[in-house]
Amino acid sequence: MPSTDGNRHKGQEGTDPAEGTDYEEHFHAAASGYLVLTTDGTILDVNQTLASWTGRSRDGLLGGNILDLMPLADQVLFASYAVPQLAVSGCFNEMAADLVSADGERIPVLLSGVRSEDDDDGGHGTGLDRIAVFNASERRLYERELVAALRKAEAAEAARAAAEEEIRQKQKALEEKDRVLQANLLESREREALLESILDAVDVGLLVVDQEGNTLLTNAHLHSNWRRAMGDIPITAKGQTIFGPDRVTPIEPADSPARRAASGESFSDQLVWFGAGEHEMALNVSARPIKTEGSFSGSVLAFSDVSRLVRAVAAQEEFVASVSHELRTPLTSIMGYLDLALDEEGLPPQVTVALQVALRNSERLLALVSDLLSVASGATKMDRRPADLADIVRAGVVSVSPKAGAGRVDLVTEIPASLTADVDPQRLAQVVDNLLSNAVKYSPGGGTVTVRLWQDEQSIRLQVTDTGIGMSEAEQEKVFTKFFRSRRAVASAVPGVGLGLVITKNIVESHGGELSFVSSPGQGSEFTVSLPKVPGTAAGISPAR
Ligand code: ADP
């Protein structure tokens, strides 16, 4: 044990060679620091180890107080724990404190102390405190690591709890989704049941096909219709022959309603005939594609049985045709006799006028009968030969001039000197007459009717433009329907029966051409006939526009 007097130790080293140990040297080279204090903390001795830890000289430390080596908090701790322990128990153990080095660095240490009563204490008091100082930086490091590990464990625990919470939330969300799905399923089942009821209640056959034309859904009405038309042949059987509107021309498989629908076509009113004999029936078919998220996924076809209607129309046409035919013969005879009567000389003037009125009305009647016959017979037989269209149009203009004059309608023509085409001249004259007389008739307040004839690279075109009453969009849709007359035409008592345009369209199409029009209510209409140009047609005219 070091003494308070270093010199005395040195002396002992010399005086106790039997020991063979230099305590002073061991004291200073010890791995721990040592302090010898008076009970009031005054440093009587300190070893070199402690002096070096604190970066001070031993001499500088001697005579100072241990409290000077500590920061304030540790000074309080030392005074309130170590000093009473030393006084009461004579020792204290492992007090953790910091020593402050000369350059202000803190050195974590553990202090243990023991008090001995010493008579030979150089008059400093009743005892000496021997304080052992262990460098605790390793331990502090270890503690810090421990704390860090603890923090990590806490963080891991928190993460585990968070993960558990997340799983709980996900589970909850899944349960919610499941509940919504169940509700949706129920709703879609209800809708399906409702849809099925509606499908079976409607008086129309319904068929849903996919892109390959496979049947996805049918309704009861379709089944019963199909069975009526096809006997026991299943509805899905492919290769059934179906016929066009004339009942005899088979429809090519690619043009069948199901195939057209399966290819995504949208159409209305395709008339087809199914079945044979007493089971034969006419179906009117419409189809609309189904779009799922913008892409085509199948089609809905609607079939309505129009057999009775078609048969009724056919019977009506047959009746009209036969009545017209029967009327023609006596009418021709009446007109012949009227002509003969008018040829008589010395007729009183009033008889001549009466006969002329009768003849004019007979002519109108004959024209009407011819129109009825022409419409009832459908396809028009053409007698085509090279004819000068320019002459035909000019003749039409001449014959409509009196009516135009009476209605204060100006006639403007842009007609080439000649334009030869391979046409049926009589039929083409009928086309010109119909279009011109309509243009004049439907300009009740006067106006201008312009007739143009020209040819371009592919076609010969005849155009009749008026500044008359025009037609609404709804009227335009029906303009080629037999017996259709617009409300204004009927209201303003313009004569007509609604057959002229049907016949005109028929004639133009029989020539391989097209009849188109644009019209605007209150502004006028423009009808255009386009006939395909036949090679060898005379050219040399300038287009009207
Ligand atoms: P009609 O003139 O004998 O009534 P059309 O078949 O020639 O029969 O014409 C059918 C209907 O189309 C007419 O009743 C009329 O309402 C309308 N229409 C035809 N041409 C014209 C036109 N140039 N301007 C206005 N409406 C027209």
Side-chain angles (χ1 to χ4, degrees), residues 371 434-443 464-466 468-471 475 478-490 494-504 519 524-527:
D371 276 1
N434 276 341
L435 293 180
L436 275 175
S437 81
N438 275 355
V440 172
K441 265 196 311 189
Y442 297 113
S443 302
V464 180
T465 313
D466 65 61
I469 59 175
M471 285 175 275
E475 289 166 349
K478 294 189 194 142
V479 85
F480 295 122
T481 310
K482 287 175 203 168
F483 303 110
F484 167 75
R485 307 208 66 220
S486 73
R487 214 162 38 83
R488 284 192 64 185
V490 177
V494 179
V497 285
L499 288 176
L501 285 178
V502 179
I503 295 167
T504 303
S519 184
S525 311
E526 180 173 272
F527 283 80

Side-chain angles (χ1 to χ4, degrees), residues 286-334:
S286 300
R288 294 287 177 276
I290 305 168
K291 297 258 165 80
T292 316
E293 286 173 4
S295 60
F296 170 66
S297 60
S299 258
V300 181
L301 289 111
F303 299 80
S304 41
D305 181 357
V306 289
S307 314
R308 290 172 70 176
L309 183 69
V310 171
R311 287 195 184 106
V313 170
Q316 186 196 17
E317 283 179 356
E318 212 172 295
F319 172 76
V320 170
S322 59
V323 168
S324 314
H325 188 75
E326 294 304 319
L327 282 175
R328 204 161 42 181
T329 323
L331 250 180
T332 327
S333 162
I334 291 169

Side-chain angles (χ1 to χ4, degrees), residues 374 377-384 424 427 506-507 510-511:
S374 158
S377 65
T380 323
K381 207 174 154 290
M382 294 294 133
D383 181 12
R384 293 171 76 153
D424 181 327
R427 297 294 190 182
N506 238 335
I507 296 171
S510 299
H511 279 85

Side-chain angles (χ1 to χ4, degrees), residues 210-518:
D210 64 15
Q211 294 130 297
E212 271 76 50
N214 300 312
T215 302
L216 296 181
L217 191 140
T218 54
N219 70 342
H221 192 84
L222 182 77
H223 278 280
S224 63
N225 260 346
W226 186 273
R227 218 168 291 123
R228 264 174 51 212
M230 299 304 233
D232 287 332
I233 296 169
I235 203 161
T236 44
K238 300 259 164 81
Q240 301 305 321
T241 309
I242 53 174
F243 300 93
D246 65 357
R247 299 188 188 193
V248 288
T249 314
I251 290 184
E252 292 293 319
D255 295 330
S256 74
R259 274 259 60 91
R260 288 175 68 194
S263 65
E265 217 182 300
S266 169
F267 57 88
S268 301
D269 304 332
Q270 183 182 6
L271 184 69
V272 293
W273 284 89
F274 279 84
E278 62 183 52
H279 296 306
E280 186 189 38
M281 67 191 290
L283 291 181
N284 184 24
V285 193
S286 300
R288 294 287 177 276
I290 305 168
K291 297 258 165 80
T292 316
E293 286 173 4
S295 60
F296 170 66
S297 60
S299 258
V300 181
L301 289 111
F303 299 80
S304 41
D305 181 357
V306 289
S307 314
R308 290 172 70 176
L309 183 69
V310 171
R311 287 195 184 106
V313 170
Q316 186 196 17
E317 283 179 356
E318 212 172 295
F319 172 76
V320 170
S322 59
V323 168
S324 314
H325 188 75
E326 294 304 319
L327 282 175
R328 204 161 42 181
T329 323
L331 250 180
T332 327
S333 162
I334 291 169
M335 283 165 66
Y337 280 102
L338 285 172
D339 261 341
L340 279 178
L342 276 166
D343 284 347
E344 284 296 320
E345 290 191 5
L347 287 175
Q350 67 272 31
V351 174
T352 306
V353 170
L355 286 176
Q356 277 168 341
V357 170
L359 184 61
R360 210 167 45 242
N361 279 297
S362 303
E363 277 167 356
R364 277 185 65 189
L365 209 53
L366 187 64
L368 178 60
V369 167
S370 303
D371 276 1
L372 285 172
L373 259 179
S374 158
V375 168
S377 65
T380 323
K381 207 174 154 290
M382 294 294 133
D383 181 12
R384 293 171 76 153
R385 54 181 182 273
D388 191 345
L389 267 179
D391 274 350
I392 294 173
V393 177
R394 266 190 292 271
V397 173
V398 169
S399 69
V400 84
S401 297
K403 256 203 230 166
R408 298 186 321 279
V409 175
D410 291 335
L411 285 172
V412 178
T413 58
E414 291 173 23
I415 304 168
S418 125
L419 203 169
T420 310
D422 198 23
V423 293
D424 181 327
Q426 267 184 348
R427 297 294 190 182
L428 252 299
Q430 218 176 331
V431 167
V432 174
D433 286 348
N434 276 341
L435 293 180
L436 275 175
S437 81
N438 275 355
V440 172
K441 265 196 311 189
Y442 297 113
S443 302
T448 307
V449 169
T450 310
V451 191
R452 297 184 183 93
L453 177 70
W454 79 98
Q455 66 176 343
D456 55 28
E457 294 273 298
Q458 283 99 30
S459 328
I460 294 165
R461 296 189 202 266
L462 165 69
Q463 196 169 62
V464 180
T465 313
D466 65 61
T467 54
I469 59 175
M471 285 175 275
S472 69
E473 281 196 15
E475 289 166 349
Q476 290 176 33
E477 273 175 29
K478 294 189 194 142
V479 85
F480 295 122
T481 310
K482 287 175 203 168
F483 303 110
F484 167 75
R485 307 208 66 220
S486 73
R487 214 162 38 83
R488 284 192 64 185
V490 177
S492 44
V494 179
V497 285
L499 288 176
L501 285 178
V502 179
I503 295 167
T504 303
K505 189 165 185 279
N506 238 335
I507 296 171
V508 171
E509 286 176 356
S510 299
H511 279 85
E514 259 180 30
L515 174 62
S516 59
F517 70 97
V518 285

